[in-house]
Amino acid sequence: MFSITVRDHLMIAHSFRGEVFGPAQRLHGATFLVDATFRRPELDDDNIVVDIGLATQELGAVVAELNYRNLDNEPDFAETNTSTEFLAKVVADRLARRIEDGRLGEGARGLTGLTVTLHESHIAWASYERAL
């Protein structure tokens, strides 16, 4: 399996509901490194997984939709604990829609998998992996 990974970062504010979250129930900020890994079993006709420039551009566009937002105030996330795991899935699903829409080029149609990892710190991160 071949893969490439592109990276961006995301800064948000949010709070959680539930005792399991302890002090994170209060409004707080979070900064994530965001990695998107694109996979396919065979390289395309240009011997690449996907255009790395387009992959970087589209990850940036998805991140921009969330960046510098208080997610507690976003209608898409009403009454939702926007955990790191949950946000990894949001980013992956939004990237997948962009792939389906052709925004990563025709070569991206051969992609078979996508993993998004949000790094909370140098010692903790969460990922969501999906088929394409």
Side-chain angles (χ1 to χ4, degrees):
M1 187 67 66
F2 294 94
S3 68
I4 65 150
T5 301
V6 296
R7 176 173 277 180
D8 206 323
H9 72 280
L10 173 63
M11 298 172 72
I12 55 103
H14 62 170
S15 61
F16 296 122
R17 288 179 324 284
E19 291 299 317
V20 69
F21 294 104
Q25 292 176 80
R26 294 187 297 273
L27 183 64
H28 63 279
T31 300
F32 302 102
L33 284 178
V34 182
D35 290 336
T37 300
F38 302 85
R39 290 183 312 283
R40 66 187 303 150
E42 301 295 332
L43 298 177
D44 72 6
D45 292 340
D46 295 311
N47 277 337
I48 61 174
V49 172
V50 68
D51 182 318
I52 201 166
L54 289 176
T56 300
Q57 175 182 307
E58 294 306 318
L59 175 59
V62 168
V63 166
E65 295 171 353
L66 302 169
N67 212 13
Y68 297 109
R69 303 255 191 325
N70 178 347
L71 300 184
D72 295 350
N73 296 333
E74 294 295 313
D76 286 349
F77 307 126
E79 304 300 317
T80 301
N81 280 330
T82 52
S83 65
T84 306
E85 300 89 334
F86 174 84
L87 291 174
K89 182 180 187 316
V90 167
V91 173
D93 290 346
R94 290 181 181 188
L95 268 175
R97 276 195 296 270
R98 289 172 176 271
I99 293 165
E100 291 167 6
D101 292 345
R103 295 183 190 182
L104 275 78
E106 281 302 310
R109 303 233 182 260
L111 293 170
T112 58
L114 170 66
T115 301
V116 171
T117 302
L118 272 63
H119 301 263
E120 291 188 38
S121 72
H122 65 289
I123 60 170
W125 55 89
S127 299
Y128 180 76
E129 184 175 337
R130 59 164 291 162
L132 295 173

